[in-house]
Amino acid sequence: MIATLRPVELLVLVPVLLLLLCLPSVIAYRRKVERLGLVIVVSLVGAVTGLFWFVALIMAITMRTRHPAPPLLTSD
C-alpha cells in the first residue's frame, strides 16, 4: 500500500499520522494531568503496538489534573 503512494500523498500522510500519534500526549499536557510522563511513555509504546495508544488516550482524558497554584499574596 505504501509503495503505491505518491510523494505528495506521503507529505500529507506522514504529518497527519504523527499528529495523531501525539494526540494523547497533547491532550494530557493541555489538561495538566498529574502523571504526564506516564501518558507520554504509554503513548510511545502505543505507537508501536496500537493497543496501548487507546490506553494512553483514555488515560489522558480521565486522569486527575494538577491543582492550580494558589494566587500570590501581595502586601499593600
Side-chain angles (χ1 to χ4, degrees), residues 5-72:
L5 293 176
R6 290 177 273 160
V8 174
E9 293 170 337
L10 282 175
L11 284 174
V12 172
L13 186 63
V14 170
V16 169
L17 288 177
L18 287 175
L19 286 173
L20 184 65
L21 288 176
C22 293
L23 185 65
S25 301
V26 171
I27 290 172
Y29 175 77
R30 298 283 296 181
R31 288 191 66 234
K32 297 181 171 94
V33 298
E34 287 182 350
R35 301 189 66 191
L36 175 62
L38 179 63
V39 174
I40 292 171
V41 168
V42 173
S43 180
L44 289 174
V45 171
V48 177
T49 63
L51 174 66
F52 288 119
W53 183 87
F54 287 106
V55 173
L57 184 63
I58 291 171
M59 287 171 58
I61 293 170
T62 61
M63 283 182 105
R64 196 169 45 184
T65 59
R66 286 180 268 145
H67 297 292
L72 296 174

